[in-house]
Amino acid sequence: MLQMNGIKKRFGSIEVLHGVDLEVRAGEVHALLGENGAGKSTLMKVLCGIIKESEGTIRINDELHSFANYDAAIAAGVGIVFQEFSLIPYLTAIENMFLAREMTTRLGLLDRKAMRNRAREILARLDVDLPLNVPVANLSVAEQQFVEIAKALSLEARILVLDEPTATLTPSEVEHLFKVIRELRRDGVAIVFISHHMEEIFEICDRITVLRDGHYIATHDVAEVDVDRLVELMVGRRIEQSFPPKPDIDMSGVPVLDVSELQLSKTSPVSSFQLHQGEILGFAGLVGSGRTETALAMIGAHPSVTCKVKHNGKEVRFSEPADALAHGIGLLPESRKEQGLVTSFSILRNVSINNYGKYRKNGVFIDLKKEVLCTKEVMAQVRVKANGPSDPLDTLSGGNQQKVVVARWLNHTMNVLIFDEPTRGIDVGAKAEIYQLMRELTEQGCSIIMISSELPEILGMSDRVCVFRDGGIVDTVEGENINSEKIMTLATTGRQDNVA
């Protein structure tokens, strides 16, 4: 159904796609893999007419196309569900699905009944039941995801691109999504599936195409390869061990953080935890269990009924995040675009944005040379793939944007960092780099709270794990007790007994 041959894309003198090929059959789920910056998103933007290829051809059902814009791609049957939702939050599901394509009556008035019926038809096809008359901002992340898919199907898309569709879904929601994907496959829709979760690739996909540094590397049937082979194709080398070895942590001294009597609401459990120097403390639990809210309440970014904090043995009160920052505590938020970055700014401005005092010259001016030098140093430390500090942030891949958030805090003198979903949307090669970086930070005396929904990440990186349920900590486990069975039992039932 889809043939992309010899696709090249240049931005000025920089070529980012070097003759990439991609073929997708009708009724196939085709994985597109590669590290962040490999060219996946750029290739899909070419397919969807968002950017224009410099060279190469696109054929759909053997008909040659060259899309001038997204509308032209839609007319040819191409739809895309972006990793970052493109919904307008204050509009309803129906209004989002038919935005700029509203159905009208003979008199030119909005035909709300026809749009509602069509929306119901599409959602019934997806086996999804969700409120149609409330702003999509009131819907769950999974429901918003299905609105995005329904919007693409309302365009009669025969080629559907799903970019990291499971990044924010619970396991049960992922299973529902996969059920929908299988139905679409049976209907003959060609699906391009982009994901960094290898287990998903082997569960739902038929074939895999791998890109690396803007080059086409290989296409294989899923049955022909294993995880190690795919990783080697993606990064050009074998990653023998994703997680660095855990050091011995001295927990006899005064904790860096001692949090007690933290209660998010009057009905929530009361939580307490300690963080020691050089430690990575994992926060595990199901989505909505209170992990992020607890960390935010500690730094004054989320309301709580009570919260007592000692920093290096001294009582402190953080009424706002700026107070925590003044004590050397920084947050890498889960939603990097909404909370962690200013995407219209350059890398330089994003790294410097809350640390301009570092560059003050004569008490008034900014030392621009020092600012650029420091930014280059932290960019190199976290391996940001870019031409330089002046590059606009929105030209970077999702993984490289995440690295810029890390670079900002490395530009500070920090003693505690809160990593909320540190590797969300990041490929396996970049994950290994982030994990190594986290251990390097702890070796330098930094302490880390790591909030993660990925159980392998919790098991592989945490020195101790606080398990959350119903808005509070159920138990804190360490040593041999950091295993999947115990953590999942605590997270799902709250039971501490008979769990080995």
Side-chain angles (χ1 to χ4, degrees):
M1 183 174 284
L2 170 66
Q3 291 177 297
M4 302 181 76
N5 296 112
I7 300 296
K8 294 185 178 181
K9 179 58 187 176
R10 287 182 289 269
F11 294 100
S13 61
I14 310 261
E15 187 171 86
V16 295
L17 292 179
H18 312 285
V20 174
D21 298 333
L22 176 67
E23 294 186 355
V24 186
R25 301 163 184 160
E28 175 186 29
V29 182
H30 194 110
L32 184 61
L33 296 185
E35 291 188 275
N36 292 108
K40 305 184 300 294
S41 295
T42 303
L43 185 66
M44 291 301 96
K45 287 177 181 177
V46 168
L47 172 62
C48 296
I50 296 170
I51 60 176
K52 186 80 172 64
E53 71 277 7
S54 302
E55 294 182 33
T57 59
I58 302 173
R59 292 181 180 275
I60 297 176
N61 288 326
D62 208 29
E63 182 179 340
L64 192 64
H65 289 272
S66 182
F67 301 128
N69 50 49
Y70 187 31
D71 287 341
I74 289 172
V78 180
I80 185 168
V81 177
F82 295 99
Q83 179 180 358
E84 305 290 344
F85 294 157
S86 56
L87 302 173
I88 297 177
Y90 53 81
L91 297 184
T92 67
I94 295 175
E95 290 166 340
N96 270 283
M97 286 171 64
F98 296 98
L99 186 64
R101 302 179 301 105
E102 291 82 1
M103 296 180 178
T104 56
T105 65
R106 293 178 182 178
L107 299 177
L109 302 175
L110 287 179
D111 194 338
R112 298 185 184 277
K113 182 178 180 181
M115 289 190 289
R116 173 180 291 276
N117 290 338
R118 179 60 178 147
R120 283 175 171 167
E121 286 176 12
I122 296 170
L123 291 170
R125 178 184 175 189
L126 300 179
D127 193 23
V128 172
D129 184 22
L130 54 83
L132 296 178
N133 287 326
V134 301
V136 295
N138 297 343
L139 303 181
S140 70
V141 172
E143 288 173 330
Q144 292 181 36
Q145 183 76 271
F146 287 120
V147 172
E148 285 275 23
I149 294 173
K151 179 180 175 182
L153 294 181
S154 75
L155 303 170
E156 303 296 335
R158 302 301 298 164
I159 299 170
L160 182 62
V161 179
L162 300 177
D163 189 356
E164 294 286 350
T166 66
T168 56
L169 303 186
T170 66
S172 61
E173 291 166 345
V174 170
E175 188 52 46
H176 189 181
L177 175 63
F178 284 179
K179 180 182 176 183
V180 168
I181 290 174
R182 292 185 182 102
E183 288 291 335
L184 295 174
R185 178 165 57 188
R186 280 192 284 271
D187 290 343
V189 177
I191 298 172
V192 180
F193 186 86
I194 302 174
S195 176
H196 294 307
H197 296 283
M198 291 295 183
E199 68 278 6
E200 295 176 357
I201 299 299
F202 286 94
E203 179 177 350
I204 197 68
C205 296
D206 303 298
R207 290 192 301 155
I208 302 166
T209 290
V210 179
L211 305 184
R212 185 169 71 236
D213 296 330
H215 293 272
Y216 169 83
I217 300 301
T219 297
H220 290 287
D221 289 339
V222 167
E224 296 176 348
V225 291
D226 58 17
V227 172
D228 290 341
R229 177 59 179 151
L230 285 180
V231 171
E232 186 176 7
L233 289 170
M234 288 167 60
V235 303
R237 65 189 189 281
R238 283 194 173 271
I239 298 178
E240 301 297 341
Q241 185 177 1
S242 295
F243 302 109
K246 296 182 182 180
D248 292 327
I249 306 297
D250 181 9
M251 299 191 184
S252 62
V254 176
V256 176
L257 283 178
D258 188 349
V259 179
S260 60
E261 299 181 32
L262 196 160
Q263 188 177 27
L264 296 176
S265 69
K266 291 182 178 179
T267 58
S268 300
V270 177
S271 299
S272 300
F273 64 90
Q274 295 181 334
L275 177 68
H276 296 270
Q277 184 172 353
E279 178 186 20
I280 295 179
L281 179 66
F283 276 15
L286 303 180
V287 174
S289 61
R291 301 165 303 169
T292 297
E293 292 80 0
T294 295
L296 294 178
M298 179 191 72
I299 63 172
H302 189 279
S304 62
V305 178
T306 59
C307 179
K308 292 185 178 180
V309 181
K310 288 183 179 179
H311 181 241
N312 291 324
K314 297 180 180 179
E315 284 196 20
V316 293
R317 179 171 178 79
F318 303 138
S319 58
E320 59 181 7
D323 297 335
L325 178 59
H327 284 78
I329 302 172
L331 168 70
L332 290 85
E334 175 183 7
S335 179
R336 55 179 174 264
K337 285 195 173 180
E338 292 181 11
Q339 299 172 324
L341 298 164
V342 183
T343 54
S344 59
F345 283 10
S346 65
I347 298 171
L348 181 76
R349 295 289 177 260
N350 272 281
V351 170
S352 304
I353 195 167
N354 57 1
N355 199 22
Y356 275 107
K358 180 176 181 177
Y359 310 121
R360 192 170 294 159
K361 189 177 181 180
N362 299 326
V364 179
F365 302 105
I366 298 297
D367 188 336
L368 295 178
K369 288 184 178 179
K370 183 179 180 181
E371 182 187 7
V372 171
L373 179 62
C374 290
T375 302
K376 285 182 176 179
E377 287 176 353
V378 291
M379 285 176 63
Q381 187 174 352
V382 298
R383 301 177 185 88
V384 175
K385 291 182 180 178
N387 297 320
S390 61
D391 278 12
L393 192 85
D394 56 12
T395 63
L396 303 184
S397 66
N400 279 299
Q401 290 182 3
Q402 183 78 314
K403 290 179 182 180
V404 171
V405 185
V406 179
R408 176 191 299 159
W409 294 119
L410 294 183
N411 198 35
H412 281 264
T413 302
M414 311 300 293
N415 55 64
V416 175
L417 287 177
I418 303 167
F419 283 73
D420 194 353
E421 303 291 357
T423 62
R424 176 187 166 192
I426 292 180
D427 61 77
V428 288
K431 279 185 178 183
E433 293 177 359
I434 294 292
Y435 297 148
Q436 185 61 44
L437 176 60
M438 290 170 71
R439 277 300 175 194
E440 289 173 2
L441 290 171
T442 59
E443 289 169 3
Q444 295 164 12
C446 188
S447 303
I448 292 174
I449 294 173
M450 183 186 72
I451 306 166
S452 177
S453 300
E454 295 194 24
L455 193 53
E457 192 166 82
I458 288 288
L459 301 179
M461 289 298 296
S462 303
D463 301 304
R464 290 185 304 136
V465 179
C466 295
V467 185
F468 285 74
R469 187 173 186 270
D470 295 334
I473 296 173
V474 178
D475 196 9
T476 300
V477 298
E478 54 187 290
E480 294 181 356
N481 287 324
I482 300 179
N483 61 71
S484 56
E485 183 182 357
K486 178 151 192 172
I487 289 174
M488 286 308 298
T489 302
L490 288 168
T492 53
T493 69
R495 288 191 296 106
Q496 300 181 24
D497 57 325
N498 299 323
V499 182

